[in-house]
Amino acid sequence: MCLSVLYLSITNAFAHQNTLEKIKSSGVITWGFDAEGGAPYVFHDPAHPSKIIGFEVELVEAIARELGVKVQHFQNAWDNILLSLQRGDFDIALNGIEVTPDRAQSVLFTRPYYVYALQIVVRASDNRINRLEDLRGKKVGTLYNTEARRLLEEMAGVTVNTYSGQVEPFKDLSLNRIDAVFVDLPIAAYYAMPNPQLRMVDAPVGEGYYAIALRKEDTALADELNKIIERLSKSGELKKIYSHWGLWNASQEKLFLHKGRLQKYTESPPSASEKTPVAVTRFLPTLLKGALVTVGISVLSMMLAIILGLVLVVMRLYGNKWLQMISTAYIEIYRGTPLLIQLYILYYGLPNIGIAMSAFAAAILGLGMNYAAYEAEIYRSGIQAIPRGQTEAALSLGMSRSLTLKRIILPQTFRITIPPMTNDFIALFKDSSLVSVIAITELTKSYSILASASMDFFKLGIITALLYFGMSYPLSLYSRKLEKKLKSHDKNL
């Protein structure tokens, strides 16, 4: 079995050295992309959800036609699309991938196929922002791991909200959660122009290039794709595709005149000696900042979970019939639905009925309410582990039920449930990474952003794992110490 896996790995690695030959011999080119919220690049047709459309779909089909092969789709999260390319999951990555020096050290880019610029979008009723400098002092949404985000971070005084998807920043802009959106022009044009509540301000700024990403060794494939892109541009087919999607502008003329750094990377890829070593330590402040956000969200969420869980278990064990039903329903619903869906409903769903909250508040509320269901069950098992005779003895001595619960039952329950509560807290630390879907940049999200930018998933991953361990291990030690202290206290009674 191991030998088979090794053989297949070696065969696969050899195949990568002959990707162009493999494509031509198999008659198929495998294209990696992310269609989730990918308009107008590549996305599912709302009228025919099983079909994908977009200007990049038409471009890839034109390239495949020139190669004389068929296209095989490979859906892949945009976050790690270049990593999957390097793994050999598909032949080309073409999905609005901006050419940057960091990426050019890890993958081979073809000549550019589109010139993009960056565009500001605001609410139609907002006249405060009329140029790039007006973004200072404002909350601005953008996509992570993009040139737009880098530019915003270089500007002093801008609060940057980073999103994974293209739809979410525009939704938050409409809900007054942010003041502006700053993204690539194709995205801004697609989402803002048809929406009368939004408007694009000032002329686009900056300039960059989208190119097809290949594995470093695929120089023959790069040469072939460069020739095809040149043919498509000279024949006017590129212009036809971009015009169809309303993306053709004067900047695209530069595609055919450009002789800059992209050609340099295509014609003579940088050697290993030319590569700039990745200084992982320069990313440490960003990771520590993400860790601080993780700690804050986890601690506040756990506090909410403990208090709400206690209320739920009291309702279930000591409440009337209706309170018991409400408590049971809450626990079963929260345990039976994914936390991710609950976060989406809290942050993006509730505004539809007039309830809007900040991303930080939604994160704490979502995690806290979810873990409260589990805490309630932990407390219930702890309470039921205490011999019933203790309650009967306390009541026979004249103590009220509430006083019995407060003085007799709950203190013992607390001691019993410390280990599972600690486990839950550690699990919550890790689950806090899910809040990144609502524009919170915590530790895992910080790692994802930095690793995607630097393509150094291993070293940054080790550092991130150590940070998580450093946050959770002291908690385990404190829990053990507290258990011993309480046991010692019981023996002395």
Side-chain angles (χ1 to χ4, degrees):
M1 180 68 176
C2 293
L3 290 174
S4 300
V5 172
L6 181 61
Y7 172 76
L8 290 173
S9 301
I10 293 173
T11 304
N12 195 36
F14 179 76
H16 292 168
Q17 296 174 7
N18 302 282
T19 303
L20 180 59
E21 292 177 14
K22 188 210 75 173
I23 291 171
K24 290 188 173 178
S25 62
S26 65
V28 174
I29 183 170
T30 311
W31 167 36
F33 61 88
D34 186 2
E36 183 181 357
Y41 303 83
V42 48
F43 60 106
H44 289 275
D45 185 351
H48 306 283
S50 60
K51 180 182 177 184
I52 60 168
I53 56 175
F55 77 92
E56 290 184 337
V57 176
E58 297 180 14
L59 174 59
V60 172
E61 287 174 351
I63 290 173
R65 188 193 65 228
E66 292 291 320
L67 283 169
V69 299
K70 295 181 179 178
V71 181
Q72 181 176 344
H73 298 158
F74 192 102
Q75 165 67 33
N76 196 97
W78 199 90
D79 305 18
N80 50 29
I81 192 167
L82 295 185
L83 189 64
S84 297
L85 171 71
Q86 292 177 321
R87 279 164 37 87
D89 291 341
F90 38 80
D91 302 320
I92 62 171
L94 191 160
N95 200 187
I97 300 171
E98 300 168 348
V99 178
T100 64
D102 284 343
R103 288 173 179 156
Q105 289 190 3
S106 304
V107 297
L108 178 63
F109 281 114
T110 63
R111 62 177 295 160
Y113 65 84
Y114 189 80
V115 182
Y116 72 87
L118 305 174
Q119 178 65 53
I120 303 170
V121 179
V122 300
R123 288 181 291 278
S125 58
D126 191 345
N127 296 316
R128 297 173 300 162
I129 300 172
N130 297 298
R131 53 182 183 160
L132 184 64
E133 289 70 23
D134 293 340
L135 294 179
R136 289 192 171 89
K138 306 293 191 303
K139 290 177 69 174
V140 184
T142 189
L143 302 176
Y144 81 91
N145 203 16
T146 60
E147 283 301 294
R149 182 175 185 272
R150 183 191 60 78
L151 184 59
L152 288 174
E153 289 182 339
E154 288 178 356
M155 294 175 62
V158 180
T159 303
V160 182
N161 277 26
T162 308
Y163 298 83
S164 298
Q166 295 171 188
V167 179
E168 289 80 1
F170 291 100
K171 191 170 181 62
D172 274 1
L173 179 63
S174 299
L175 293 170
N176 294 327
R177 284 170 171 160
I178 55 178
D179 300 305
V181 173
F182 190 51
V183 291
D184 292 3
L185 181 59
I187 304 171
Y190 185 84
Y191 287 100
M193 292 183 71
N195 188 341
Q197 295 180 334
L198 304 176
R199 67 183 176 92
M200 299 195 293
V201 298
D202 204 7
V205 298
E207 186 177 277
Y209 304 93
Y210 296 151
I212 305 172
L214 310 171
R215 287 179 288 275
K216 276 292 186 181
E217 63 270 21
D218 287 337
T219 52
L221 178 59
D223 289 340
E224 187 69 21
L225 293 178
N226 285 337
K227 293 173 186 173
I228 291 174
I229 293 172
E230 186 175 4
R231 282 203 299 274
L232 293 175
S233 61
K234 286 183 176 177
S235 68
E237 187 161 358
L238 273 187
K239 183 176 181 179
K240 183 180 176 183
I241 293 172
Y242 298 156
S243 297
H244 174 234
W245 290 92
L247 298 174
W248 181 263
N249 51 44
S251 298
Q252 305 312 315
E253 299 289 349
K254 298 175 184 175
L255 282 174
F256 318 123
L257 304 174
H258 184 69
K259 300 292 182 183
R261 68 179 183 186
L262 295 178
Q263 289 292 69
K264 173 192 169 187
Y265 286 126
T266 301
E267 294 168 359
S268 57
S271 64
S273 60
E274 290 178 306
K275 292 183 179 181
T276 304
V278 178
V280 174
T281 50
R282 71 187 166 100
F283 298 132
L284 199 55
T286 304
L287 289 174
L288 289 174
K289 185 179 176 183
L292 194 61
V293 174
T294 293
V295 171
I297 289 175
S298 300
V299 170
L300 292 174
S301 300
M302 195 63 195
M303 290 171 64
L304 174 62
I306 290 172
I307 295 170
L308 184 56
L310 192 59
V311 173
L312 287 169
V313 75
V314 171
M315 288 170 60
R316 183 163 182 174
L317 294 180
Y318 302 100
N320 58 33
K321 177 184 174 183
W322 288 105
L323 290 177
Q324 290 178 9
M325 287 176 60
I326 292 172
S327 173
T328 303
Y330 179 99
I331 291 169
E332 295 304 328
I333 289 172
Y334 268 90
R335 290 198 310 175
T337 54
L339 174 57
L340 195 60
I341 299 298
Q342 295 164 16
L343 288 170
Y344 271 124
I345 292 174
L346 274 175
Y347 191 64
Y348 294 113
L350 288 185
N352 293 328
I353 57 173
I355 303 173
M357 63 185 79
S358 68
F360 194 75
I364 294 171
L365 200 58
L367 282 169
M369 291 177 71
N370 180 275
Y371 270 80
Y374 295 94
E375 294 307 301
E377 288 300 275
I378 290 173
Y379 302 149
R380 186 167 69 89
S381 63
I383 290 172
Q384 291 178 338
I386 299 170
R388 192 176 182 81
Q390 293 191 24
T391 301
E392 294 171 352
L395 294 175
S396 66
L397 290 173
M399 295 177 71
S400 66
R401 186 171 287 275
S402 60
L403 188 61
T404 302
L405 184 66
K406 180 180 177 182
R407 295 284 178 83
I408 308 295
I409 304 301
L410 289 184
Q412 296 183 79
T413 301
F414 178 66
R415 283 194 287 273
I416 294 171
T417 57
I418 283 178
M421 283 175 62
T422 306
N423 287 336
D424 260 9
F425 196 12
I426 293 172
L428 191 148
F429 256 113
K430 291 176 283 189
D431 278 353
S432 65
S433 62
L434 292 174
V435 303
S436 62
V437 300
I438 55 173
I440 295 285
T441 306
E442 39 65 61
L443 180 54
T444 300
K445 191 66 175 179
S446 299
Y447 160 69
S448 178
I449 292 171
L450 296 176
S452 298
S454 65
M455 295 300 291
D456 193 340
F457 286 82
F458 180 72
K459 292 177 185 174
L460 289 172
I462 294 295
I463 293 175
T464 304
L466 289 174
L467 286 173
Y468 271 112
F469 182 74
M471 290 187 291
S472 61
Y473 188 58
L475 191 63
S476 298
L477 294 178
Y478 178 74
S479 171
R480 289 175 199 166
K481 184 178 179 181
L482 188 57
E483 278 185 74
K484 289 180 181 177
K485 185 176 179 181
L486 291 172
K487 285 180 181 177
S488 174
H489 179 265
D490 288 346
K491 288 179 182 177
N492 295 331
L493 289 177

